[in-house]
Amino acid sequence: MGETVFGCPPETDSSHPRVKSVLHALNQMHDLNVTAPLEWEALHRKLLLKLVVNCALNPVTAIINCRNGSVSNSKHGRALLKLLCAEIARLPEFSSYLEMSADDLLGHVLAVSNATENNVNSTVSKGLESEIDFLNGDVLERAAKSGMSLPTHEAIVDLVRFRLQLKRAALNGLIC
């Protein structure tokens, strides 16, 4: 939501001159709205929350080819986001680390959707690869390692792939 965060993993010395130099340069870029440096725990939390948002909101907007706000303003869109958030909330890393319920995650996703209501995920509609395979794939991998399945995420990834296949066929002059 317009914030650039910077931090160092625990094994990195945040007092290293190179780290300090990058931090100083980032803080000079006022347009970036830099929050730095964050402790690893806070940075990791922000990254996990961003992953939740991207795994819930991006595939839905890619499939429907709509703006973010259209999803949060629709009872059907909210219901789908709720299913996706509920599945993520069951994953051990998300439930223990974020300490947020499925409803809390949904509230966060809806807040981001509303704050970015005019944004459009245009990669799939242009026939381009999206980050959805990678991001949702990461969540599906975490689930598999925990012996869990996330059927809504599995279906949403298949739908994005199908939408991309249809778009590419249309771009190549094939009628679908």
Side-chain angles (χ1 to χ4, degrees):
M1 293 182 5
E3 179 184 29
T4 303
V5 295
F6 176 80
C8 298
E11 66 275 2
T12 303
D13 179 9
S14 60
S15 65
H16 188 281
R18 192 171 304 151
V19 172
K20 285 185 166 189
S21 173
V22 169
L23 176 59
H24 178 72
L26 285 172
N27 280 322
Q28 299 306 307
M29 299 177 200
H30 302 290
D31 292 344
L32 288 182
N33 189 21
V34 175
T35 302
L38 288 180
E39 295 297 320
W40 175 245
E41 298 294 320
L43 179 61
H44 191 218
R45 179 179 168 77
K46 283 188 174 284
L47 290 172
L48 285 176
L49 281 171
K50 182 165 179 55
L51 183 59
V52 171
V53 171
N54 288 346
C55 285
L57 189 57
N58 292 2
V60 176
T61 59
I63 293 164
I64 307 300
N65 193 29
C66 66
R67 297 183 187 281
N68 289 353
S70 299
V71 179
S72 56
N73 291 326
S74 161
K75 76 175 187 176
H76 304 293
R78 288 189 306 274
L80 187 51
L81 293 177
K82 184 173 183 165
L83 288 171
L84 292 164
C85 288
E87 287 184 354
I88 291 175
R90 292 182 14 239
L91 293 173
E93 182 171 6
F94 290 86
S95 62
S96 65
Y97 199 87
L98 291 177
E99 298 177 347
M100 293 174 74
S101 69
D103 286 340
D104 293 337
L105 292 178
L106 175 61
H108 180 72
V109 170
L110 290 173
V112 172
S113 177
N114 290 328
T116 59
E117 66 183 342
N118 291 318
N119 289 9
V120 177
N121 184 340
S122 61
T123 54
V124 173
S125 66
K126 292 178 181 176
L128 304 172
E129 286 297 325
S130 75
E131 77 285 355
I132 293 162
D133 264 330
F134 178 76
L135 297 177
N136 289 76
D138 177 70
V139 168
L140 290 171
E141 227 175 82
R142 292 172 195 242
K145 286 179 184 174
S146 298
M148 301 168 67
S149 75
L150 306 179
T152 309
H153 282 271
E154 291 167 5
I156 210 94
V157 169
D158 285 341
L159 285 168
V160 169
R161 289 176 182 154
F162 182 45
R163 171 105 165 83
L164 184 58
Q165 178 187 18
L166 292 175
K167 183 60 181 181
R168 286 182 174 161
L171 289 172
N172 289 320
L174 302 173
I175 298 176
C176 299

